[in-house]
C-alpha cells in the first residue's frame, strides 16, 4: 500500500488535524481563561466579598453581613444616582438602538459621499471619554458653553438652561453625550450585520414588489436578530459603565445630584474611604445590569419563538 505524504494541501490538512485535537483546543483557550480569571472574575469576587464588610481600604476588614445593602435603600443619594442611571439608560437605549440601525440602513446603500459620512459618524468613537467630556463642557456649560452663548447672541436668553451641573437636566445631557460618542461604533456593527444578509434574498424580495419598509420589517430585521441583540447588550453594559463623561462634565455635582451608580460608588470608595459601602454599590450596579440584560434576552427569545 502506497502512503502519500506530499501534495500542496498536505501541510494544511496536518495543521487542521492538529487544531482539531481536544487537548490542543484546551491549550489554546487556557491563556485567555487565565487572563479573564485574573482581571475579571477574581476582582468581581473580591468586590462582592468586600461588600459584606466594613473596610476603609486600610487596616482591619470587619464582616458586617447585609448592613451595607440595608444602608443602600435608606440612602437618599443612592436613589438619586439610581434614578439618574435609569434616565440615561432608557434615553440612550432608545436613541442608540433605533437611530444607529436607521443610519446603518442609509449608509449601507451606494450613495454619493457615503464613505466620508461613515468616517465622520465613526470619529467620536475613537476619542477618549475624558476628551469627549471636555468637548461637551465647552458646548453645554451654563456659563461658557456655546449653546447658552448663542442663545444670548440671538436674543433668546429666556431659553438658557443649566444643561449640566443643574438639578434636572444633567442626566439627560450626559445620555446625549454618550449617544454622540457611541453612535458611530454601533452603526459600524449594524453595517457589518447588514453585509451578512445574502444579496439574493433582498433581490428576490425587491422583484416580488416589496417596498423599502416591507423589506426592512419582514426580511432585514428578522435576519439581523443576533446583531440587534449584540448591540442591545453593548448599550446596556456600556450605559452602566459611564464614568469619565460624568466626572469631566459635572463631577457628580451639585451636591451629588448628578451622580450615577458608578460615580457614586467611586466617590464612596475613594473619596469617602467607605470601601465596603462602595463595593456594595458596585455589586448592585453589576447585578442590575445582569438583570436587565437577562430580561431583554428572555423577551427577545420569546418574541423570536
Amino acid at each position: 500500500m502506497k502512503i502519500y505524504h506530499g501534495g500542496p494541501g498536505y501541510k494544511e490538512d496536518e495543521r487542521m488535524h492538529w487544531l482539531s485535537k481536544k487537548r490542543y483546543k484546551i491549550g489554546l483557550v487556557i491563556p485567555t481563561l487565565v487572563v479573564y480569571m485574573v482581571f475579571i472574575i477574581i476582582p468581581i469576587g473580591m468586590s462582592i466579598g468586600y461588600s459584606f464588610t466594613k473596610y476603609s481600604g486600610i487596616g482591619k476588614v470587619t464582616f458586617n453581613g447585609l448592613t451595607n445593602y440595608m444602608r443602600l435603600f435608606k440612602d437618599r443619594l443612592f436613589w438619586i444616582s439610581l434614578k439618574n442611571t435609569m434616565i440615561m439608560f432608557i434615553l440612550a437605549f432608545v436613541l442608540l438602538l433605533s437611530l444607529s440601525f436607521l443610519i446603518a440602513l442609509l449608509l449601507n446603500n451606494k450613495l454619493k459621499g457615503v464613505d466620508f459620512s461613515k468616517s465622520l459618524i465613526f470619529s467620536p468613537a475613537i476619542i477618549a471619554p475624558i476628551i469627549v467630556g471636555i468637548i461637551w463642557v465647552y458646548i453645554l456649560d451654563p456659563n461658557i458653553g456655546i449653546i447658552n452663548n448663542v442663545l444670548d447672541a440671538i436674543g433668546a436668553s429666556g431659553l438658557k438652561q443649566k444643561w449640566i451641573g443643574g438639578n434636572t437636566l444633567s442626566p439627560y445631557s450626559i445620555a446625549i453625550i454618550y449617544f454622540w460618542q457611541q453612535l458611530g461604533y454601533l452603526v459600524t456593527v449594524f453595517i457589518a450585520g447588514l453585509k451578512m444578509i445574502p444579496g439574493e434574498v433582498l433581490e428576490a424580495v425587491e422583484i416580488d414588489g416589496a417596498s423599502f419598509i416591507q423589506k426592512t420589517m419582514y426580511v432585514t430585521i428578522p435576519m439581523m436578530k443576533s446583531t440587534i441583540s449584540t448591540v442591545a447588550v453593548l448599550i446596556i453594559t456600556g450605559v452602566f459603565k459611564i464614568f469619565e463623561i460624568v466626572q469631566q462634565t459635572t463631577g457628580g455635582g451639585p451636591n451629588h445630584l448628578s451622580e450615577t451608580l458608578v460615580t457614586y460608588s467611586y466617590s464612596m470608595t475613594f473619596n469617602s474611604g467607605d470601601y465596603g459601602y462602595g463595593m456594595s454599590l458596585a455589586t448592585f450596579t453589576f447585578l442590575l445590569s445582569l438583570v436587565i440584560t437577562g430580561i431583554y434576552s428572555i423577551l427577545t427569545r420569546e418574541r423570536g419563538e
Side-chain angles (χ1 to χ4, degrees):
M1 181 177 65
K2 184 178 181 180
I3 300 175
Y4 180 66
H5 293 287
Y10 176 74
K11 290 185 178 180
E12 182 178 350
D13 292 340
E14 188 178 20
R15 286 195 296 268
M16 294 304 296
H17 177 68
W18 182 84
L19 290 173
S20 68
K21 293 182 179 179
K22 186 175 181 180
R23 64 177 181 272
Y24 294 125
K25 290 180 180 179
I26 295 173
L28 291 172
V29 171
I30 285 177
T32 302
L33 289 177
V34 170
V35 172
Y36 191 77
M37 287 288 295
V38 171
F39 293 101
I40 303 294
I41 301 300
I42 293 176
I44 289 175
M46 292 177 63
S47 298
I48 294 173
Y50 279 122
S51 70
F52 296 101
T53 67
K54 183 178 181 181
Y55 182 47
S56 64
I58 56 174
K60 185 179 179 181
V61 179
T62 305
F63 178 78
N64 65 356
L66 295 174
T67 302
N68 291 327
Y69 290 97
M70 294 172 64
R71 177 182 167 187
L72 281 179
F73 300 102
K74 300 176 183 178
D75 185 354
R76 182 181 68 89
L77 295 180
F78 163 75
W79 290 108
I80 291 174
S81 62
L82 177 60
K83 181 193 73 172
N84 291 339
T85 301
M86 295 311 296
I87 289 172
M88 294 177 194
F89 164 69
I90 293 170
L91 188 58
F93 186 85
V94 171
L95 290 177
L96 279 171
L97 193 60
S98 57
L99 293 182
S100 61
F101 179 70
L102 292 175
I103 293 172
L105 284 176
L106 179 63
L107 295 180
N108 194 46
N109 296 314
K110 294 180 180 179
L111 302 173
K112 186 177 180 180
V114 70
D115 292 333
F116 174 75
S117 299
K118 289 178 182 178
S119 302
L120 189 64
I121 291 175
F122 185 76
S123 58
I126 63 175
I127 303 175
I130 197 72
I131 303 300
V132 170
I134 294 173
I135 292 171
W136 280 89
V137 164
Y138 285 102
I139 296 173
L140 298 176
D141 187 271
N143 300 315
I144 64 172
I146 294 173
I147 292 180
N148 280 355
N149 285 328
V150 169
L151 291 174
D152 270 335
I154 64 175
S157 300
L159 298 177
K160 291 171 60 176
Q161 300 289 334
K162 284 191 174 182
W163 308 105
I164 54 175
N167 298 337
T168 306
L169 295 179
S170 291
Y172 299 94
S173 297
I174 292 168
I176 296 298
I177 296 171
Y178 183 74
F179 164 79
W180 176 81
Q181 183 195 21
Q182 294 296 315
L183 179 65
Y185 171 67
L186 298 180
V187 166
T188 303
V189 175
F190 272 129
I191 290 175
L194 290 170
K195 298 293 185 184
M196 298 296 292
I197 300 176
E200 297 82 1
V201 176
L202 298 177
E203 289 176 6
V205 173
E206 290 174 357
I207 292 172
D208 288 340
S211 65
F212 174 78
I213 294 177
Q214 289 173 325
K215 183 173 69 173
T216 302
M217 294 297 297
Y218 299 112
V219 178
T220 304
I221 292 178
M223 296 189 74
M224 287 190 62
K225 281 183 179 178
S226 60
T227 303
I228 294 172
S229 296
T230 300
V231 170
V233 172
L234 287 173
I235 296 171
I236 293 169
T237 56
V239 170
F240 282 95
K241 295 189 297 182
I242 297 176
F243 177 78
E244 296 94 335
I245 294 174
V246 179
Q247 287 293 96
Q248 188 60 46
T249 52
T250 68
N255 298 320
H256 298 281
L257 292 179
S258 63
E259 295 275 18
T260 64
L261 288 172
V262 174
T263 59
Y264 188 42
S265 172
Y266 175 87
S267 176
M268 295 305 298
T269 303
F270 298 104
N271 295 337
S272 300
D274 199 342
Y275 200 90
Y277 187 56
M279 291 302 99
S280 67
L281 284 162
T283 301
F284 177 86
T285 306
F286 171 68
L287 294 176
L288 181 60
S289 65
L290 283 183
V291 168
I292 293 176
T293 302
I295 291 173
Y296 174 82
S297 299
I298 292 171
L299 292 176
T300 52
R301 187 187 308 129
E302 289 178 352
R303 189 172 298 176
E305 293 173 354

